[in-house]
Amino acid sequence: MNTAIIAAAGAGTRMASDRPKQFLQLAGRPLIFHTLQPFEACENIHEVIVVLPAEESAGFLSLVGKYGLRKVTRVVPGGATRADSVKRGLMAIRSATAEIVVVHDGVRPFVTVEEIESTIAAAKTDGAAILVAPVTDTVKQVCGERVVGTLDRLELRRALTPQSFQYELLREAYQQADVNDPSLTDESALVERLGRPVTIVAGSARNIKITTPGDLVVAEALLKQSTDCTDF
């Protein structure tokens, strides 16, 4: 069984809103439900676990049916850090039937079914796979207020989600991790620390993470563009 863990336990302080950003309205419905839809449509995802702020988790399952999301089986209260939150989701998986675990940011609503399936396929073969996008800006390495080097962007990629792993590998990575370390911002880093290879899968630049009010404006524009193309 392949399980998706949707990491949506953040407070979203950069959004400057009185609600967590994953519950802000995007085209008439909460952002989190846009994110969940591709996982519902993906045949290679068999169940979905959503990790939310504790105060939001109690009534969430009652909303799931309204949006036709039948694969959401559990809602788990998140922890103090991303790593802690994802670990809580991981602990909710039935180990006897677990195969691939797919971890995705709850505020990346433009992931496609094809991207999800591609990372699952790569993880089945290689153990771990993450979605990435090219770095288009020139990236400087700095120390204090001075530039100390220019990095070769041909050798750099932006880490996106989903990130997919064989269940036992991700479980081992978390057993050795300090989940209270705020620098652990993705699951790939934990697997890298084990010395295990992580395969990259090319993703779309549309797979943006909604972090600031400006990102929400961009998301509205992307949705409108998609709708206009469909109508045409």
Side-chain angles (χ1 to χ4, degrees):
M1 180 177 286
N2 301 331
T3 301
I5 297 174
I6 307 300
T13 54
R14 284 176 287 180
M15 189 60 75
S17 170
D18 58 355
R19 287 223 71 191
K21 58 188 176 183
Q22 55 272 35
F23 291 101
L24 295 179
Q25 292 290 306
L26 176 60
R29 60 175 170 163
L31 172 58
I32 183 68
F33 292 107
H34 289 276
T35 301
L36 288 168
Q37 192 59 53
F39 292 88
E40 182 72 25
C42 181
E43 292 184 0
N44 285 313
I45 293 293
H46 306 116
E47 69 169 353
V48 177
I49 296 172
V50 183
V51 187
L52 293 174
E55 64 274 13
E56 301 283 352
S57 60
F60 189 77
L61 276 178
S62 66
L63 296 174
V64 165
K66 174 183 175 182
Y67 293 99
L69 301 171
R70 298 174 182 173
K71 292 182 181 179
V72 177
T73 58
R74 272 160 286 182
V75 178
V76 178
T81 64
R82 177 195 168 86
D84 188 17
S85 293
V86 173
K87 183 177 183 179
R88 293 182 185 208
L90 187 64
M91 291 171 63
I93 295 175
R94 294 180 293 272
S95 60
T97 58
E99 296 179 56
I100 301 297
V101 180
V102 182
V103 183
H104 185 66
D105 294 325
V107 289
R108 287 188 186 271
F110 296 109
V111 64
T112 66
V113 171
E114 292 74 20
E115 288 173 330
I116 299 167
E117 290 180 339
S118 294
T119 63
I120 291 173
K124 283 183 176 179
T125 302
D126 302 334
I130 68 170
L131 205 67
V132 300
V135 173
T136 56
D137 294 323
T138 298
V139 180
K140 300 292 185 179
Q141 183 178 1
V142 301
C143 181
E145 300 298 319
R146 293 183 180 274
V147 173
V148 295
T150 301
L151 303 181
D152 184 355
R153 65 186 178 191
L154 295 178
E155 296 181 355
L156 301 174
R157 297 293 185 274
R158 294 188 294 113
L160 311 176
T161 66
Q163 301 189 353
S164 297
F165 309 89
Q166 293 177 7
Y167 170 76
E168 292 296 341
L169 174 58
L170 188 59
R171 183 175 177 178
E172 180 186 356
Y174 267 101
Q175 285 173 342
Q176 299 190 30
D178 175 8
V179 296
N180 294 313
D181 182 352
S183 70
L184 296 177
T185 56
D186 78 347
E187 289 61 54
S188 173
L190 305 183
V191 173
E192 293 163 33
R193 291 184 179 189
L194 294 179
R196 298 288 295 272
V198 177
T199 296
I200 61 170
V201 175
S204 169
R206 286 173 56 93
N207 187 3
I208 62 171
K209 185 176 183 180
I210 310 301
T211 304
T212 68
D215 296 331
L216 202 57
V217 173
V218 172
E220 292 279 2
L222 287 172
L223 271 180
K224 185 178 186 304
Q225 182 184 61
S226 298
T227 303
D228 290 345
C229 290
T230 302
D231 291 342
F232 178 79

